[in-house]
Amino acid sequence: PKRSCCDGCGHTVLGPESGTLTSINYPQTYPNSTVCEWEIRVKSGQRVQLKFGDFDIEDSDACHFNYLRVYNGIGPTRTEIGKYCGLGFQMDSLIESKSNEVTVQFMSGTHLSGRGFLASYSTTDKSDLITCLDNASHFSEPEFNKYCPAGCVIPFVDISGTIPHGYSDSSSLCMAGVHAGVVSNILGGQINVVISKGIPYYEHSLANNVTSKAGRLSTSLFTFKTSGCYGTLGMESGVIPDSQITASSSLEWPDQTGQANIWTPERARLKRPGPPWAAFSTDGYQWLQIDLNKEKRITGIITTGSTIAEYYYYISAYRILYSDDAQKWTVYREPGVDQDKVFQGNTEYYQEVRNNFIPPIIARFVRVNPLKWHQKIAMKVELLGCQFSIGRAPKLTMPPPPPPQSSNDFSLQTDKTTSTPEIKNTTVTPTVTKDVALAAVLVPVLVMVFTTLILILVCAWHWRNRKKKAEGTYDLPYWDRAGWWKGMKQFLPAKSAEHEETPVRYSNSEVSHLRPREVPTILQTESAEYAQPLVGGIVGTLHQRSTFKPEEGKEASYADVDPYNSPVQEVYHAYAEPLPVTGPEYATPIIMDMSGHPTAPLGVSSISTFKATGNQAPPIVGICNKLLARTDSSSSAHALYDTPKGMPGPGSSVELVYQVPQSMPHFTGS
């Protein structure tokens, strides 16, 4: 692609696949009586598409003297695609050519207003083409891909922010992409944009010849997704040893004490305190060399000046050379450009300035060759990039060095190399080495082994806890379990049971000496320590000291008919009445004397020591009569039941079948 004549051409960058062009003075009013033609040519077999970011051409003369015209082809055989004019004209659609050549013609006559135009072009395979004026606020998606044309570094567009913190949503997407180092201003390229919440303040910085201004709070910001090959390569961290940092010369002078003060090459580590590296001579032959020990993919460089206010030294322009053997050197050039790339350096002694290599450099040795400086050649540096394992790019012999010049009038004279160096496309998938293959096998195996060990430990811990629970180290006593009452129901009387009762003797001493673990055995073989209450013919499953209401319903072994002759069946409360405050909390345990009487069959229960409510008799009348009849008065002076304090003694004429708490009415079975 090339630009034709004449005096009406503004900012113009015509790349091999994309570019940007504007009218003269844009975005100010274009002058009268100007003309400009741009001839655009892309690779054969492709077509050109044209997109306008801004269009403002006065149309008072109905497009006779002020207009923009687009043609298919170049030269006399070209054919017109369209003629356009209008103030604030919105051209949302793309203009496409029918061949790989396009001519754009701008003409201005006498007019009063109009900014002119800004347009971008690319090949038609870049369907997501945008212009240099598009910013993040024009898109609603949280993440999107767009194609930026070449030539978006323009002075009338501003950006705020930097990487990795992000850019204000009012910043130009493509210009921010150049600043971030994800696209080239000469080539253009694809950007992957991610939108997120804004931040209160955006920093200013200088990178890739683009100055980002400080900015205030914005609603949102955007960043770029990249390949991730922007890590530091070891200057600041010390991974690169001092022996691998060399220079053409070093500044040396005695200090006030007479000791030598040398600014050696190993001092050129970015962000390290102290003085930098400085060259003894101030000419175009000086260099700082870094040995990376093996080939790396180098994507950028960061530089500062002396970082010491007393020594206001810095390098303002430099070249980059690279090599694999430190013998044959290649000067870095951008693809399609037949001149060495001159990188913008620092503008003062402290600020960090970043420059990116698009496409990256594949090399082991890197040299920085200063071209312009302030007072003395001094710098600190860090290289950006990542590991690389495929073949290297072709290298060309270093051109003759520029003649020595003073720092004040040094001109950028760089000899051309015999041909443009080709830098390998880094999108090629790198070959996997043996170490990488071994790691790919070992890592999953180790993960599986560790996972299995963790699962075994968890299962062992869980089994141990369950075993402890089964052993009952801190288990409840047997009689506190809910299943105790179910075990004791076999001793309760059934309706069909007609058998003798075993006499029962009342004794405290026989129970008091028992240990808690022995009580369940006694209870299972003889009788209940405390009989459960019989309420209205219903046996509740009550635990020790339980106040919960027993289950509703009747046991199958109890008769439904009223066993008493009382005329009115009273409704009794589901709970036993509380014991008096002055009396004992529980009746004294009952111990059956099994020595002189036959063992009762299973199903014979102990007699309840709870008082029945009202005048209701105990639920089983016959049992009480049999117990009275079997009292052996000849062999024992004691009553069948012991008598509480304050009640008649053994000689009393009235024997109590049930123990009754004090101050409670007495009841005898009949």
Side-chain angles (χ1 to χ4, degrees), residues 379-459:
M379 71 184 311
K380 294 181 180 181
V381 65
E382 177 64 277
L383 295 176
L384 306 177
C386 59
Q387 301 293 333
F388 190 73
S389 60
I390 66 174
R392 59 181 182 268
K395 307 297 187 297
L396 298 178
T397 304
M398 176 182 174
Q405 300 285 345
S406 67
S407 61
N408 295 328
D409 58 354
F410 184 78
S411 59
L412 299 181
Q413 297 178 358
T414 56
D415 296 336
K416 297 182 180 179
T417 52
T418 57
S419 62
T420 303
E422 296 180 1
I423 302 175
K424 286 196 173 182
N425 186 358
T426 58
T427 59
V428 178
T429 304
T431 303
V432 179
T433 62
K434 294 182 179 179
D435 294 339
V436 175
L438 182 61
V441 174
L442 289 179
V443 170
V445 172
L446 291 176
V447 170
M448 292 178 64
V449 170
F450 283 118
T451 303
T452 304
L453 291 176
I454 292 172
L455 289 175
I456 292 173
L457 291 175
V458 171
C459 291

Side-chain angles (χ1 to χ4, degrees), residues 5-338:
C5 62
C6 299
D7 57 354
C9 302
H11 171 78
T12 301
V13 174
L14 305 180
E17 293 186 344
S18 64
T20 300
L21 49 143
T22 71
S23 56
I24 190 171
N25 289 347
Y26 181 86
Q28 307 300 322
T29 304
Y30 56 90
N32 295 329
S33 304
T34 60
V35 63
C36 182
E37 284 189 357
W38 295 267
E39 295 178 351
I40 301 170
R41 182 181 292 107
V42 297
K43 187 181 297 185
S44 178
Q46 295 183 329
R47 293 179 297 128
V48 180
Q49 60 184 2
L50 194 66
K51 183 178 180 65
F52 288 93
D54 187 20
F55 193 95
D56 192 63
I57 298 176
E58 188 176 287
D59 58 351
S60 58
D61 56 0
C63 294
H64 287 297
F65 300 104
N66 295 276
Y67 58 85
L68 181 76
R69 185 174 282 168
V70 182
Y71 296 92
N72 269 317
I74 297 175
T77 60
R78 64 189 185 186
T79 58
E80 182 177 310
I81 297 176
K83 187 178 182 181
Y84 310 95
C85 66
L87 294 174
F89 183 54
Q90 295 293 329
M91 298 183 64
D92 297 329
S93 59
L94 299 175
I95 299 175
E96 294 187 6
S97 68
K98 295 180 180 180
S99 67
N100 67 320
E101 296 178 340
V102 168
T103 300
V104 178
Q105 182 186 69
F106 170 67
M107 185 76 69
S108 70
T110 303
H111 63 94
L112 298 176
S113 62
R115 294 184 302 274
F117 72 94
L118 180 144
S120 296
Y121 75 89
S122 72
T123 54
T124 52
D125 59 328
K126 310 296 190 302
S127 58
D128 48 3
L129 172 68
I130 59 176
T131 71
C132 304
L133 301 181
D134 288 316
N135 56 48
S137 60
H138 294 166
F139 305 96
S140 58
E141 301 92 337
E143 182 175 344
F144 54 87
N145 292 310
K146 296 296 176 183
Y147 183 83
C148 287
C152 280
V153 177
I154 43 184
F156 47 83
V157 174
D158 294 332
I159 63 170
S160 296
T162 185
I163 55 170
H165 305 298
Y167 298 87
S168 169
D169 58 1
S170 61
S171 303
S172 164
L173 288 171
C174 294
M175 193 167 178
V178 174
H179 182 273
V182 296
V183 293
S184 166
N185 186 55
I186 298 296
L187 300 174
Q190 202 79 25
I191 58 172
N192 190 339
V193 182
V194 179
I195 308 295
S196 58
K197 186 178 180 180
I199 56 178
Y201 180 77
Y202 296 90
E203 299 177 357
H204 68 90
S205 63
L206 176 60
N208 299 307
N209 205 24
V210 177
T211 300
S212 172
K213 299 180 179 179
R216 299 294 180 183
L217 172 68
S218 67
T219 304
S220 61
L221 60 79
F222 65 90
T223 54
F224 301 96
K225 278 189 175 181
T226 66
S227 62
C229 189
Y230 295 94
T232 57
L233 292 181
M235 287 292 287
E236 178 186 351
S237 64
V239 172
I240 301 174
D242 292 347
S243 59
Q244 293 176 204
I245 308 172
T246 56
S248 55
S249 64
S250 297
L251 183 62
E252 179 179 355
W253 77 96
D255 57 15
Q256 296 178 352
T257 62
Q259 294 183 349
N261 199 350
I262 307 175
W263 287 7
T264 54
E266 58 267 21
R267 294 180 178 271
R269 299 180 184 272
L270 189 71
K271 296 182 180 178
R272 289 288 185 93
W277 163 74
F280 181 81
S281 304
T282 52
D283 56 42
Y285 296 101
Q286 304 305 307
W287 45 264
L288 175 71
Q289 178 176 306
I290 301 170
D291 178 8
L292 299 175
N293 197 38
K294 62 179 181 179
E295 278 190 345
K296 298 288 180 69
R297 177 181 296 179
I298 308 165
T299 59
I301 183 173
I302 302 175
T303 61
T304 65
S306 66
T307 67
I308 302 176
E310 294 81 6
Y311 305 100
Y312 207 86
Y313 309 151
Y314 60 87
I315 297 171
S316 57
Y318 58 89
R319 297 186 304 173
I320 293 292
L321 300 92
Y322 55 95
S323 173
D324 285 334
D325 55 8
Q327 300 297 323
K328 297 180 180 180
W329 293 89
T330 301
V331 183
Y332 182 82
R333 291 181 175 181
E334 292 178 306
V337 180
D338 58 356

Side-chain angles (χ1 to χ4, degrees), residues 627-641:
L627 288 173
L628 288 174
R630 293 176 65 90
T631 304
D632 188 0
S633 60
S634 62
S635 62
S636 177
H638 295 284
L640 180 62
Y641 297 94

